[in-house]
């Protein structure tokens, strides 16, 4: 799968592609666990397909540049958006 791309707030985006749906969900869950959302009470919510997601192949949360910068490290993609649900 392409991605996952993450935010600091528990968001995960995985680029829409050829990967089977269970594999996409597994990849999203795995990266959330790695980010520390593996405690019980952090269920993963699927937010749906999102258009125009700006991502960086550097996979750094703060490594995403605006489209206007015209850099080589970022792209705009269509992606599945997952989110670790805040138990509070
Ligand atoms: Zn960039």
């Amino acid at each position: 799968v392409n991605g996952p791309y993450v935010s600091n707030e528990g968001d995960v985006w995985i680029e829409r592609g050829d990967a089977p749906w269970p594999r996409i969900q597994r990849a999203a869950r795995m990266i959330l666990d790695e980010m520390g959302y593996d405690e019980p009470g952090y269920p993963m919510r699927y937010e749906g397909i999102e258009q125009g997601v700006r991502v960086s192949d550097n996979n750094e949360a703060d490594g995403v540049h605006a489209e206007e910068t015209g850099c080589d490290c970022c792209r705009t993609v269509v992606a599945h958006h997952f989110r670790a649900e805040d138990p509070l």
Side-chain angles (χ1 to χ4, degrees):
V1 299
N2 286 323
Y5 307 100
V6 302
S7 79
N8 283 330
E9 285 93 41
D11 295 286
V12 178
W13 293 271
I14 294 178
E15 191 171 349
R16 190 174 65 179
D18 296 334
W21 180 237
R23 193 167 149 218
I24 290 172
Q25 288 177 294
R26 256 201 317 277
R29 182 71 254 182
M30 271 174 59
I31 194 72
L32 283 176
D33 289 351
E34 280 173 26
M35 289 163 70
Y37 294 105
D38 55 344
E39 300 295 325
Y42 278 108
M44 185 176 73
R45 192 170 67 213
Y46 179 54
E47 303 278 0
I49 284 277
E50 210 168 298
Q51 312 280 337
V53 182
R54 194 77 177 148
V55 299
S56 167
D57 281 330
N58 295 338
N59 283 356
E60 293 164 17
D62 57 354
V64 180
H65 305 128
E67 205 151 0
E68 294 78 51
T69 60
C71 63
D72 290 330
C73 54
C74 302
R75 301 173 293 130
T76 302
V77 301
V78 180
H80 301 283
H81 184 190
F82 298 87
R83 190 172 170 82
E85 214 163 285
D86 195 330
L88 301 180

